[in-house]
Amino acid sequence: MKPCKNLHPSPKMTMSDSRIKKHECSNSLNMCLDAFVRYMKTKGRAANTIKAYGHDLARYISFVNKMDVYEVDDIKQTTISDHLQNLRAEGLSESTIARNLTSIKRLHRFAILNRHGTHDPSDIVDAPKLTRKTPNLLDINQVSLLMETPDQSDPLGMRDRAILELLYATGMRVSELTNLRKDSLDLTRGTVHISSQHPRQIPIGVPAKRALKNYLRSGRIHHVNPSTVDFVFLNAQGSQLSRMSIWKITKKAGKKAEINSEVSPHTLRHCFATHLLEGGANLRDVQELLGHTAISTTQMYAPLNVSKIKQVHETYHPRS
């Protein structure tokens, strides 16, 4: 694609010509974004990931256009810094701003590789320094109380129990749970196959197997319909369960179990990882089970196991 030139009207250019020229140039940014989104789809990125990139970058391009910039190569480092500062003024968290910058950096790298641009103005823009929050964790007794909250005489209660058990048994992400299909379950061997961006095979224990069998046999049949027959978890209308529905189910269970802190699907993912490490699991094995690309992401759970490490040190070190 040829870059747009002459952003500012020449003496012979009319105002109408100027508006047309600006519209054509604004397409250079939008066309780059469209190409980037298509590229991510070909790479099999999750729909929610693509949606997040699209939202971040549409807001970025809108800001850039307001600065009277319409070409990829006319964007400067200061323009990006001003955009991030504007996001901060709007009240966005530092983690959200960091995510926006990641989206911007990937767009500009894509632009260079695909000849939409010749330089990367985002290269020297530093991400905000983030303070990682300590994950909200439940102890074993709280997890047990949580599992007992759904009504097992009700089909939806059977479903909710299966969801809670599976989240804790596997540590899977919400998107992986909502997209789970029946042929991914092997309840004879006690495993579940996650076919997402991070495909993996995860074993499940007896409580999760029992809850799933009960739901599939006695609960799910009340809501299944031909269009969603392959999905494991369905809502009362027989449609695929949404991410928000999973959040509501875990939050409701937490309140019913009288757990003071809010319980979310990610809470159970944290519990899955931390309880494994506390039981002596290897960090690399936990990384594989969680579907983390980098070991550094999994290491956030290691500091939570300080008491266990101290106990091992006191027991086995000769000068403890």
Side-chain angles (χ1 to χ4, degrees), residues 136-139 141-147 149 250-264 267-268:
N136 178 28
L137 292 171
L138 309 179
D139 59 35
N141 290 332
Q142 287 176 315
V143 170
S144 298
L145 288 171
L146 195 73
M147 300 303 167
T149 57
T250 54
K251 185 176 181 179
K252 177 183 175 183
K255 286 186 175 180
K256 197 170 180 180
E258 297 182 348
I259 296 171
N260 293 330
S261 56
E262 185 171 318
V263 178
S264 71
T267 303
L268 293 176

mmCIF file with all atom_site columns, all heavy atoms in Angstrom, residues 136-139 141-147 149 250-264 267-268:
data_model
loop_
_atom_site.group_PDB
_atom_site.id
_atom_site.type_symbol
_atom_site.label_atom_id
_atom_site.label_alt_id
_atom_site.label_comp_id
_atom_site.label_asym_id
_atom_site.label_entity_id
_atom_site.label_seq_id
_atom_site.pdbx_PDB_ins_code
_atom_site.Cartn_x
_atom_site.Cartn_y
_atom_site.Cartn_z
_atom_site.occupancy
_atom_site.B_iso_or_equiv
_atom_site.pdbx_formal_charge
_atom_site.auth_seq_id
_atom_site.auth_comp_id
_atom_site.auth_asym_id
_atom_site.auth_atom_id
_atom_site.pdbx_PDB_model_num
ATOM 1   N N   . ASN A 1 136 ? -6.399  -13.473 45.434 1.00 0.00 ? 136 ASN A N   1
ATOM 2   C CA  . ASN A 1 136 ? -7.389  -13.811 46.444 1.00 0.00 ? 136 ASN A CA  1
ATOM 3   C C   . ASN A 1 136 ? -7.472  -15.331 46.541 1.00 0.00 ? 136 ASN A C   1
ATOM 4   O O   . ASN A 1 136 ? -7.807  -16.010 45.571 1.00 0.00 ? 136 ASN A O   1
ATOM 5   C CB  . ASN A 1 136 ? -8.751  -13.227 46.023 1.00 0.00 ? 136 ASN A CB  1
ATOM 6   C CG  . ASN A 1 136 ? -9.849  -13.584 46.995 1.00 0.00 ? 136 ASN A CG  1
ATOM 7   O OD1 . ASN A 1 136 ? -9.589  -13.796 48.174 1.00 0.00 ? 136 ASN A OD1 1
ATOM 8   N ND2 . ASN A 1 136 ? -11.071 -13.660 46.501 1.00 0.00 ? 136 ASN A ND2 1
ATOM 9   N N   . LEU A 1 137 ? -7.135  -15.874 47.708 1.00 0.00 ? 137 LEU A N   1
ATOM 10  C CA  . LEU A 1 137 ? -7.050  -17.330 47.861 1.00 0.00 ? 137 LEU A CA  1
ATOM 11  C C   . LEU A 1 137 ? -8.019  -17.840 48.915 1.00 0.00 ? 137 LEU A C   1
ATOM 12  O O   . LEU A 1 137 ? -8.339  -17.145 49.871 1.00 0.00 ? 137 LEU A O   1
ATOM 13  C CB  . LEU A 1 137 ? -5.630  -17.737 48.258 1.00 0.00 ? 137 LEU A CB  1
ATOM 14  C CG  . LEU A 1 137 ? -4.551  -17.523 47.192 1.00 0.00 ? 137 LEU A CG  1
ATOM 15  C CD1 . LEU A 1 137 ? -3.185  -17.754 47.797 1.00 0.00 ? 137 LEU A CD1 1
ATOM 16  C CD2 . LEU A 1 137 ? -4.781  -18.424 46.002 1.00 0.00 ? 137 LEU A CD2 1
ATOM 17  N N   . LEU A 1 138 ? -8.461  -19.070 48.726 1.00 0.00 ? 138 LEU A N   1
ATOM 18  C CA  . LEU A 1 138 ? -9.302  -19.760 49.702 1.00 0.00 ? 138 LEU A CA  1
ATOM 19  C C   . LEU A 1 138 ? -8.504  -20.916 50.286 1.00 0.00 ? 138 LEU A C   1
ATOM 20  O O   . LEU A 1 138 ? -7.662  -21.506 49.607 1.00 0.00 ? 138 LEU A O   1
ATOM 21  C CB  . LEU A 1 138 ? -10.564 -20.305 49.022 1.00 0.00 ? 138 LEU A CB  1
ATOM 22  C CG  . LEU A 1 138 ? -11.389 -19.344 48.163 1.00 0.00 ? 138 LEU A CG  1
ATOM 23  C CD1 . LEU A 1 138 ? -12.576 -20.081 47.550 1.00 0.00 ? 138 LEU A CD1 1
ATOM 24  C CD2 . LEU A 1 138 ? -11.851 -18.147 48.971 1.00 0.00 ? 138 LEU A CD2 1
ATOM 25  N N   . ASP A 1 139 ? -8.778  -21.244 51.539 1.00 0.00 ? 139 ASP A N   1
ATOM 26  C CA  . ASP A 1 139 ? -8.148  -22.442 52.089 1.00 0.00 ? 139 ASP A CA  1
ATOM 27  C C   . ASP A 1 139 ? -8.986  -23.666 51.705 1.00 0.00 ? 139 ASP A C   1
ATOM 28  O O   . ASP A 1 139 ? -10.063 -23.543 51.102 1.00 0.00 ? 139 ASP A O   1
ATOM 29  C CB  . ASP A 1 139 ? -7.954  -22.332 53.607 1.00 0.00 ? 139 ASP A CB  1
ATOM 30  C CG  . ASP A 1 139 ? -9.266  -22.132 54.359 1.00 0.00 ? 139 ASP A CG  1
ATOM 31  O OD1 . ASP A 1 139 ? -10.302 -22.692 53.939 1.00 0.00 ? 139 ASP A OD1 1
ATOM 32  O OD2 . ASP A 1 139 ? -9.251  -21.430 55.395 1.00 0.00 ? 139 ASP A OD2 1
ATOM 33  N N   . ASN A 1 141 ? -10.784 -25.734 53.435 1.00 0.00 ? 141 ASN A N   1
ATOM 34  C CA  . ASN A 1 141 ? -12.121 -25.788 54.040 1.00 0.00 ? 141 ASN A CA  1
ATOM 35  C C   . ASN A 1 141 ? -13.094 -24.870 53.311 1.00 0.00 ? 141 ASN A C   1
ATOM 36  O O   . ASN A 1 141 ? -14.261 -25.216 53.102 1.00 0.00 ? 141 ASN A O   1
ATOM 37  C CB  . ASN A 1 141 ? -12.056 -25.404 55.525 1.00 0.00 ? 141 ASN A CB  1
ATOM 38  C CG  . ASN A 1 141 ? -11.354 -26.455 56.357 1.00 0.00 ? 141 ASN A CG  1
ATOM 39  O OD1 . ASN A 1 141 ? -11.372 -27.639 56.006 1.00 0.00 ? 141 ASN A OD1 1
ATOM 40  N ND2 . ASN A 1 141 ? -10.736 -26.044 57.445 1.00 0.00 ? 141 ASN A ND2 1
ATOM 41  N N   . GLN A 1 142 ? -12.615 -23.688 52.918 1.00 0.00 ? 142 GLN A N   1
ATOM 42  C CA  . GLN A 1 142 ? -13.469 -22.760 52.184 1.00 0.00 ? 142 GLN A CA  1
ATOM 43  C C   . GLN A 1 142 ? -13.849 -23.314 50.811 1.00 0.00 ? 142 GLN A C   1
ATOM 44  O O   . GLN A 1 142 ? -14.986 -23.156 50.360 1.00 0.00 ? 142 GLN A O   1
ATOM 45  C CB  . GLN A 1 142 ? -12.760 -21.408 52.026 1.00 0.00 ? 142 GLN A CB  1
ATOM 46  C CG  . GLN A 1 142 ? -12.685 -20.592 53.301 1.00 0.00 ? 142 GLN A CG  1
ATOM 47  C CD  . GLN A 1 142 ? -11.887 -19.315 53.128 1.00 0.00 ? 142 GLN A CD  1
ATOM 48  O OE1 . GLN A 1 142 ? -10.809 -19.310 52.535 1.00 0.00 ? 142 GLN A OE1 1
ATOM 49  N NE2 . GLN A 1 142 ? -12.430 -18.213 53.630 1.00 0.00 ? 142 GLN A NE2 1
ATOM 50  N N   . VAL A 1 143 ? -12.901 -23.974 50.170 1.00 0.00 ? 143 VAL A N   1
ATOM 51  C CA  . VAL A 1 143 ? -13.187 -24.601 48.878 1.00 0.00 ? 143 VAL A CA  1
ATOM 52  C C   . VAL A 1 143 ? -14.271 -25.668 49.049 1.00 0.00 ? 143 VAL A C   1
ATOM 53  O O   . VAL A 1 143 ? -15.214 -25.759 48.250 1.00 0.00 ? 143 VAL A O   1
ATOM 54  C CB  . VAL A 1 143 ? -11.913 -25.222 48.260 1.00 0.00 ? 143 VAL A CB  1
ATOM 55  C CG1 . VAL A 1 143 ? -12.262 -26.073 47.038 1.00 0.00 ? 143 VAL A CG1 1
ATOM 56  C CG2 . VAL A 1 143 ? -10.922 -24.133 47.868 1.00 0.00 ? 143 VAL A CG2 1
ATOM 57  N N   . SER A 1 144 ? -14.161 -26.465 50.110 1.00 0.00 ? 144 SER A N   1
ATOM 58  C CA  . SER A 1 144 ? -15.156 -27.516 50.373 1.00 0.00 ? 144 SER A CA  1
ATOM 59  C C   . SER A 1 144 ? -16.538 -26.913 50.608 1.00 0.00 ? 144 SER A C   1
ATOM 60  O O   . SER A 1 144 ? -17.552 -27.423 50.098 1.00 0.00 ? 144 SER A O   1
ATOM 61  C CB  . SER A 1 144 ? -14.741 -28.355 51.587 1.00 0.00 ? 144 SER A CB  1
ATOM 62  O OG  . SER A 1 144 ? -13.508 -29.018 51.340 1.00 0.00 ? 144 SER A OG  1
ATOM 63  N N   . LEU A 1 145 ? -16.605 -25.820 51.369 1.00 0.00 ? 145 LEU A N   1
ATOM 64  C CA  . LEU A 1 145 ? -17.879 -25.140 51.611 1.00 0.00 ? 145 LEU A CA  1
ATOM 65  C C   . LEU A 1 145 ? -18.468 -24.608 50.313 1.00 0.00 ? 145 LEU A C   1
ATOM 66  O O   . LEU A 1 145 ? -19.679 -24.687 50.081 1.00 0.00 ? 145 LEU A O   1
ATOM 67  C CB  . LEU A 1 145 ? -17.683 -23.991 52.604 1.00 0.00 ? 145 LEU A CB  1
ATOM 68  C CG  . LEU A 1 145 ? -17.437 -24.355 54.069 1.00 0.00 ? 145 LEU A CG  1
ATOM 69  C CD1 . LEU A 1 145 ? -17.053 -23.113 54.863 1.00 0.00 ? 145 LEU A CD1 1
ATOM 70  C CD2 . LEU A 1 145 ? -18.673 -25.009 54.672 1.00 0.00 ? 145 LEU A CD2 1
ATOM 71  N N   . LEU A 1 146 ? -17.610 -24.072 49.464 1.00 0.00 ? 146 LEU A N   1
ATOM 72  C CA  . LEU A 1 146 ? -18.042 -23.521 48.185 1.00 0.00 ? 146 LEU A CA  1
ATOM 73  C C   . LEU A 1 146 ? -18.713 -24.588 47.324 1.00 0.00 ? 146 LEU A C   1
ATOM 74  O O   . LEU A 1 146 ? -19.759 -24.348 46.710 1.00 0.00 ? 146 LEU A O   1
ATOM 75  C CB  . LEU A 1 146 ? -16.832 -22.942 47.450 1.00 0.00 ? 146 LEU A CB  1
ATOM 76  C CG  . LEU A 1 146 ? -17.108 -22.020 46.263 1.00 0.00 ? 146 LEU A CG  1
ATOM 77  C CD1 . LEU A 1 146 ? -17.626 -20.675 46.738 1.00 0.00 ? 146 LEU A CD1 1
ATOM 78  C CD2 . LEU A 1 146 ? -15.829 -21.832 45.438 1.00 0.00 ? 146 LEU A CD2 1
ATOM 79  N N   . MET A 1 147 ? -18.108 -25.774 47.295 1.00 0.00 ? 147 MET A N   1
ATOM 80  C CA  . MET A 1 147 ? -18.627 -26.858 46.451 1.00 0.00 ? 147 MET A CA  1
ATOM 81  C C   . MET A 1 147 ? -20.003 -27.343 46.904 1.00 0.00 ? 147 MET A C   1
ATOM 82  O O   . MET A 1 147 ? -20.772 -27.876 46.102 1.00 0.00 ? 147 MET A O   1
ATOM 83  C CB  . MET A 1 147 ? -17.642 -28.035 46.435 1.00 0.00 ? 147 MET A CB  1
ATOM 84  C CG  . MET A 1 147 ? -16.278 -27.685 45.895 1.00 0.00 ? 147 MET A CG  1
ATOM 85  S SD  . MET A 1 147 ? -16.343 -26.992 44.224 1.00 0.00 ? 147 MET A SD  1
ATOM 86  C CE  . MET A 1 147 ? -14.680 -26.344 44.058 1.00 0.00 ? 147 MET A CE  1
ATOM 87  N N   . THR A 1 149 ? -22.502 -25.524 47.997 1.00 0.00 ? 149 THR A N   1
ATOM 88  C CA  . THR A 1 149 ? -23.572 -24.518 47.920 1.00 0.00 ? 149 THR A CA  1
ATOM 89  C C   . THR A 1 149 ? -24.642 -24.785 46.859 1.00 0.00 ? 149 THR A C   1
ATOM 90  O O   . THR A 1 149 ? -25.813 -24.512 47.096 1.00 0.00 ? 149 THR A O   1
ATOM 91  C CB  . THR A 1 149 ? -22.984 -23.109 47.704 1.00 0.00 ? 149 THR A CB  1
ATOM 92  O OG1 . THR A 1 149 ? -22.174 -23.108 46.515 1.00 0.00 ? 149 THR A OG1 1
ATOM 93  C CG2 . THR A 1 149 ? -22.134 -22.694 48.894 1.00 0.00 ? 149 THR A CG2 1
ATOM 94  N N   . THR A 1 250 ? -19.932 -18.216 40.363 1.00 0.00 ? 250 THR A N   1
ATOM 95  C CA  . THR A 1 250 ? -18.900 -18.294 41.407 1.00 0.00 ? 250 THR A CA  1
ATOM 96  C C   . THR A 1 250 ? -19.145 -17.255 42.499 1.00 0.00 ? 250 THR A C   1
ATOM 97  O O   . THR A 1 250 ? -18.941 -17.527 43.686 1.00 0.00 ? 250 THR A O   1
ATOM 98  C CB  . THR A 1 250 ? -17.504 -18.100 40.791 1.00 0.00 ? 250 THR A CB  1
ATOM 99  O OG1 . THR A 1 250 ? -17.462 -16.878 40.040 1.00 0.00 ? 250 THR A OG1 1
ATOM 100 C CG2 . THR A 1 250 ? -17.146 -19.259 39.864 1.00 0.00 ? 250 THR A CG2 1
ATOM 101 N N   . LYS A 1 251 ? -19.583 -16.065 42.101 1.00 0.00 ? 251 LYS A N   1
ATOM 102 C CA  . LYS A 1 251 ? -19.864 -15.018 43.083 1.00 0.00 ? 251 LYS A CA  1
ATOM 103 C C   . LYS A 1 251 ? -21.017 -15.421 44.003 1.00 0.00 ? 251 LYS A C   1
ATOM 104 O O   . LYS A 1 251 ? -20.948 -15.249 45.233 1.00 0.00 ? 251 LYS A O   1
ATOM 105 C CB  . LYS A 1 251 ? -20.207 -13.715 42.361 1.00 0.00 ? 251 LYS A CB  1
ATOM 106 C CG  . LYS A 1 251 ? -20.405 -12.525 43.287 1.00 0.00 ? 251 LYS A CG  1
ATOM 107 C CD  . LYS A 1 251 ? -20.640 -11.245 42.499 1.00 0.00 ? 251 LYS A CD  1
ATOM 108 C CE  . LYS A 1 251 ? -20.825 -10.051 43.431 1.00 0.00 ? 251 LYS A CE  1
ATOM 109 N NZ  . LYS A 1 251 ? -21.022 -8.786  42.674 1.00 0.00 ? 251 LYS A NZ  1
ATOM 110 N N   . LYS A 1 252 ? -22.067 -15.989 43.435 1.00 0.00 ? 252 LYS A N   1
ATOM 111 C CA  . LYS A 1 252 ? -23.223 -16.442 44.210 1.00 0.00 ? 252 LYS A CA  1
ATOM 112 C C   . LYS A 1 252 ? -22.819 -17.535 45.187 1.00 0.00 ? 252 LYS A C   1
ATOM 113 O O   . LYS A 1 252 ? -23.234 -17.543 46.358 1.00 0.00 ? 252 LYS A O   1
ATOM 114 C CB  . LYS A 1 252 ? -24.303 -16.949 43.255 1.00 0.00 ? 252 LYS A CB  1
ATOM 115 C CG  . LYS A 1 252 ? -25.538 -17.512 43.948 1.00 0.00 ? 252 LYS A CG  1
ATOM 116 C CD  . LYS A 1 252 ? -26.528 -18.050 42.914 1.00 0.00 ? 252 LYS A CD  1
ATOM 117 C CE  . LYS A 1 252 ? -27.715 -18.733 43.578 1.00 0.00 ? 252 LYS A CE  1
ATOM 118 N NZ  . LYS A 1 252 ? -28.651 -19.316 42.558 1.00 0.00 ? 252 LYS A NZ  1
ATOM 119 N N   . ALA A 1 253 ? -21.994 -18.472 44.728 1.00 0.00 ? 253 ALA A N   1
ATOM 120 C CA  . ALA A 1 253 ? -21.540 -19.567 45.587 1.00 0.00 ? 253 ALA A CA  1
ATOM 121 C C   . ALA A 1 253 ? -20.710 -19.033 46.751 1.00 0.00 ? 253 ALA A C   1
ATOM 122 O O   . ALA A 1 253 ? -20.836 -19.501 47.887 1.00 0.00 ? 253 ALA A O   1
ATOM 123 C CB  . ALA A 1 253 ? -20.734 -20.572 44.770 1.00 0.00 ? 253 ALA A CB  1
ATOM 124 N N   . GLY A 1 254 ? -19.868 -18.033 46.471 1.00 0.00 ? 254 GLY A N   1
ATOM 125 C CA  . GLY A 1 254 ? -19.043 -17.439 47.522 1.00 0.00 ? 254 GLY A CA  1
ATOM 126 C C   . GLY A 1 254 ? -19.877 -16.787 48.606 1.00 0.00 ? 254 GLY A C   1
ATOM 127 O O   . GLY A 1 254 ? -19.596 -16.929 49.801 1.00 0.00 ? 254 GLY A O   1
ATOM 128 N N   . LYS A 1 255 ? -20.921 -16.075 48.197 1.00 0.00 ? 255 LYS A N   1
ATOM 129 C CA  . LYS A 1 255 ? -21.806 -15.433 49.172 1.00 0.00 ? 255 LYS A CA  1
ATOM 130 C C   . LYS A 1 255 ? -22.557 -16.470 49.995 1.00 0.00 ? 255 LYS A C   1
ATOM 131 O O   . LYS A 1 255 ? -22.716 -16.326 51.200 1.00 0.00 ? 255 LYS A O   1
ATOM 132 C CB  . LYS A 1 255 ? -22.795 -14.517 48.452 1.00 0.00 ? 255 LYS A CB  1
ATOM 133 C CG  . LYS A 1 255 ? -22.173 -13.227 47.951 1.00 0.00 ? 255 LYS A CG  1
ATOM 134 C CD  . LYS A 1 255 ? -23.231 -12.297 47.369 1.00 0.00 ? 255 LYS A CD  1
ATOM 135 C CE  . LYS A 1 255 ? -22.628 -10.957 46.967 1.00 0.00 ? 255 LYS A CE  1
ATOM 136 N NZ  . LYS A 1 255 ? -23.642 -10.043 46.405 1.00 0.00 ? 255 LYS A NZ  1
ATOM 137 N N   . LYS A 1 256 ? -23.037 -17.518 49.322 1.00 0.00 ? 256 LYS A N   1
ATOM 138 C CA  . LYS A 1 256 ? -23.797 -18.560 50.014 1.00 0.00 ? 256 LYS A CA  1
ATOM 139 C C   . LYS A 1 256 ? -22.920 -19.323 51.005 1.00 0.00 ? 256 LYS A C   1
ATOM 140 O O   . LYS A 1 256 ? -23.390 -19.774 52.054 1.00 0.00 ? 256 LYS A O   1
ATOM 141 C CB  . LYS A 1 256 ? -24.393 -19.521 48.992 1.00 0.00 ? 256 LYS A CB  1
ATOM 142 C CG  . LYS A 1 256 ? -25.524 -20.381 49.529 1.00 0.00 ? 256 LYS A CG  1
ATOM 143 C CD  . LYS A 1 256 ? -26.226 -21.132 48.414 1.00 0.00 ? 256 LYS A CD  1
ATOM 144 C CE  . LYS A 1 256 ? -27.366 -21.985 48.976 1.00 0.00 ? 256 LYS A CE  1
ATOM 145 N NZ  . LYS A 1 256 ? -28.060 -22.737 47.888 1.00 0.00 ? 256 LYS A NZ  1
ATOM 146 N N   . ALA A 1 257 ? -21.637 -19.457 50.665 1.00 0.00 ? 257 ALA A N   1
ATOM 147 C CA  . ALA A 1 257 ? -20.690 -20.137 51.562 1.00 0.00 ? 257 ALA A CA  1
ATOM 148 C C   . ALA A 1 257 ? -20.182 -19.206 52.658 1.00 0.00 ? 257 ALA A C   1
ATOM 149 O O   . ALA A 1 257 ? -19.374 -19.619 53.492 1.00 0.00 ? 257 ALA A O   1
ATOM 150 C CB  . ALA A 1 257 ? -19.513 -20.684 50.755 1.00 0.00 ? 257 ALA A CB  1
ATOM 151 N N   . GLU A 1 258 ? -20.659 -17.950 52.648 1.00 0.00 ? 258 GLU A N   1
ATOM 152 C CA  . GLU A 1 258 ? -20.281 -16.926 53.630 1.00 0.00 ? 258 GLU A CA  1
ATOM 153 C C   . GLU A 1 258 ? -18.780 -16.669 53.651 1.00 0.00 ? 258 GLU A C   1
ATOM 154 O O   . GLU A 1 258 ? -18.156 -16.509 54.710 1.00 0.00 ? 258 GLU A O   1
ATOM 155 C CB  . GLU A 1 258 ? -20.783 -17.325 55.028 1.00 0.00 ? 258 GLU A CB  1
ATOM 156 C CG  . GLU A 1 258 ? -22.309 -17.420 55.100 1.00 0.00 ? 258 GLU A CG  1
ATOM 157 C CD  . GLU A 1 258 ? -22.820 -17.765 56.499 1.00 0.00 ? 258 GLU A CD  1
ATOM 158 O OE1 . GLU A 1 258 ? -21.990 -18.148 57.356 1.00 0.00 ? 258 GLU A OE1 1
ATOM 159 O OE2 . GLU A 1 258 ? -24.025 -17.632 56.722 1.00 0.00 ? 258 GLU A OE2 1
ATOM 160 N N   . ILE A 1 259 ? -18.205 -16.632 52.450 1.00 0.00 ? 259 ILE A N   1
ATOM 161 C CA  . ILE A 1 259 ? -16.793 -16.280 52.296 1.00 0.00 ? 259 ILE A CA  1
ATOM 162 C C   . ILE A 1 259 ? -16.713 -14.761 52.174 1.00 0.00 ? 259 ILE A C   1
ATOM 163 O O   . ILE A 1 259 ? -17.373 -14.163 51.330 1.00 0.00 ? 259 ILE A O   1
ATOM 164 C CB  . ILE A 1 259 ? -16.190 -16.970 51.057 1.00 0.00 ? 259 ILE A CB  1
ATOM 165 C CG1 . ILE A 1 259 ? -16.205 -18.494 51.262 1.00 0.00 ? 259 ILE A CG1 1
ATOM 166 C CG2 . ILE A 1 259 ? -14.770 -16.479 50.786 1.00 0.00 ? 259 ILE A CG2 1
ATOM 167 C CD1 . ILE A 1 259 ? -15.850 -19.295 50.034 1.00 0.00 ? 259 ILE A CD1 1
ATOM 168 N N   . ASN A 1 260 ? -15.945 -14.119 53.026 1.00 0.00 ? 260 ASN A N   1
ATOM 169 C CA  . ASN A 1 260 ? -15.916 -12.663 53.114 1.00 0.00 ? 260 ASN A CA  1
ATOM 170 C C   . ASN A 1 260 ? -15.409 -11.992 51.844 1.00 0.00 ? 260 ASN A C   1
ATOM 171 O O   . ASN A 1 260 ? -15.914 -10.956 51.425 1.00 0.00 ? 260 ASN A O   1
ATOM 172 C CB  . ASN A 1 260 ? -15.078 -12.212 54.313 1.00 0.00 ? 260 ASN A CB  1
ATOM 173 C CG  . ASN A 1 260 ? -15.732 -12.589 55.630 1.00 0.00 ? 260 ASN A CG  1
ATOM 174 O OD1 . ASN A 1 260 ? -16.957 -12.665 55.717 1.00 0.00 ? 260 ASN A OD1 1
ATOM 175 N ND2 . ASN A 1 260 ? -14.927 -12.852 56.648 1.00 0.00 ? 260 ASN A ND2 1
ATOM 176 N N   . SER A 1 261 ? -14.389 -12.563 51.227 1.00 0.00 ? 261 SER A N   1
ATOM 177 C CA  . SER A 1 261 ? -13.855 -11.979 49.993 1.00 0.00 ? 261 SER A CA  1
ATOM 178 C C   . SER A 1 261 ? -14.649 -12.478 48.793 1.00 0.00 ? 261 SER A C   1
ATOM 179 O O   . SER A 1 261 ? -15.278 -13.536 48.835 1.00 0.00 ? 261 SER A O   1
ATOM 180 C CB  . SER A 1 261 ? -12.383 -12.365 49.830 1.00 0.00 ? 261 SER A CB  1
ATOM 181 O OG  . SER A 1 261 ? -12.236 -13.777 49.851 1.00 0.00 ? 261 SER A OG  1
ATOM 182 N N   . GLU A 1 262 ? -14.613 -11.676 47.719 1.00 0.00 ? 262 GLU A N   1
ATOM 183 C CA  . GLU A 1 262 ? -15.360 -12.057 46.512 1.00 0.00 ? 262 GLU A CA  1
ATOM 184 C C   . GLU A 1 262 ? -14.699 -13.246 45.820 1.00 0.00 ? 262 GLU A C   1
ATOM 185 O O   . GLU A 1 262 ? -13.484 -13.313 45.685 1.00 0.00 ? 262 GLU A O   1
ATOM 186 C CB  . GLU A 1 262 ? -15.438 -10.873 45.547 1.00 0.00 ? 262 GLU A CB  1
ATOM 187 C CG  . GLU A 1 262 ? -16.312 -11.150 44.327 1.00 0.00 ? 262 GLU A CG  1
ATOM 188 C CD  . GLU A 1 262 ? -16.557 -9.917  43.484 1.00 0.00 ? 262 GLU A CD  1
ATOM 189 O OE1 . GLU A 1 262 ? -16.809 -8.838  44.070 1.00 0.00 ? 262 GLU A OE1 1
ATOM 190 O OE2 . GLU A 1 262 ? -16.495 -10.026 42.251 1.00 0.00 ? 262 GLU A OE2 1
ATOM 191 N N   . VAL A 1 263 ? -15.524 -14.195 45.390 1.00 0.00 ? 263 VAL A N   1
ATOM 192 C CA  . VAL A 1 263 ? -15.032 -15.392 44.709 1.00 0.00 ? 263 VAL A CA  1
ATOM 193 C C   . VAL A 1 263 ? -15.315 -15.259 43.216 1.00 0.00 ? 263 VAL A C   1
ATOM 194 O O   . VAL A 1 263 ? -16.439 -14.972 42.813 1.00 0.00 ? 263 VAL A O   1
ATOM 195 C CB  . VAL A 1 263 ? -15.705 -16.664 45.264 1.00 0.00 ? 263 VAL A CB  1
ATOM 196 C CG1 . VAL A 1 263 ? -15.226 -17.902 44.503 1.00 0.00 ? 263 VAL A CG1 1
ATOM 197 C CG2 . VAL A 1 263 ? -15.418 -16.809 46.755 1.00 0.00 ? 263 VAL A CG2 1
ATOM 198 N N   . SER A 1 264 ? -14.292 -15.457 42.411 1.00 0.00 ? 264 SER A N   1
ATOM 199 C CA  . SER A 1 264 ? -14.416 -15.388 40.957 1.00 0.00 ? 264 SER A CA  1
ATOM 200 C C   . SER A 1 264 ? -13.836 -16.660 40.346 1.00 0.00 ? 264 SER A C   1
ATOM 201 O O   . SER A 1 264 ? -13.175 -17.442 41.037 1.00 0.00 ? 264 SER A O   1
ATOM 202 C CB  . SER A 1 264 ? -13.645 -14.174 40.428 1.00 0.00 ? 264 SER A CB  1
ATOM 203 O OG  . SER A 1 264 ? -12.245 -14.396 40.541 1.00 0.00 ? 264 SER A OG  1
ATOM 204 N N   . THR A 1 267 ? -10.295 -16.823 41.034 1.00 0.00 ? 267 THR A N   1
ATOM 205 C CA  . THR A 1 267 ? -9.969  -17.237 42.400 1.00 0.00 ? 267 THR A CA  1
ATOM 206 C C   . THR A 1 267 ? -9.680  -18.739 42.432 1.00 0.00 ? 267 THR A C   1
ATOM 207 O O   . THR A 1 267 ? -8.703  -19.188 43.048 1.00 0.00 ? 267 THR A O   1
ATOM 208 C CB  . THR A 1 267 ? -11.137 -16.937 43.364 1.00 0.00 ? 267 THR A CB  1
ATOM 209 O OG1 . THR A 1 267 ? -11.446 -15.547 43.318 1.00 0.00 ? 267 THR A OG1 1
ATOM 210 C CG2 . THR A 1 267 ? -10.791 -17.340 44.787 1.00 0.00 ? 267 THR A CG2 1
ATOM 211 N N   . LEU A 1 268 ? -10.527 -19.512 41.764 1.00 0.00 ? 268 LEU A N   1
ATOM 212 C CA  . LEU A 1 268 ? -10.358 -20.966 41.756 1.00 0.00 ? 268 LEU A CA  1
ATOM 213 C C   . LEU A 1 268 ? -9.123  -21.372 40.950 1.00 0.00 ? 268 LEU A C   1
ATOM 214 O O   . LEU A 1 268 ? -8.483  -22.378 41.253 1.00 0.00 ? 268 LEU A O   1
ATOM 215 C CB  . LEU A 1 268 ? -11.614 -21.634 41.208 1.00 0.00 ? 268 LEU A CB  1
ATOM 216 C CG  . LEU A 1 268 ? -12.845 -21.479 42.111 1.00 0.00 ? 268 LEU A CG  1
ATOM 217 C CD1 . LEU A 1 268 ? -14.092 -22.072 41.462 1.00 0.00 ? 268 LEU A CD1 1
ATOM 218 C CD2 . LEU A 1 268 ? -12.616 -22.123 43.477 1.00 0.00 ? 268 LEU A CD2 1
#
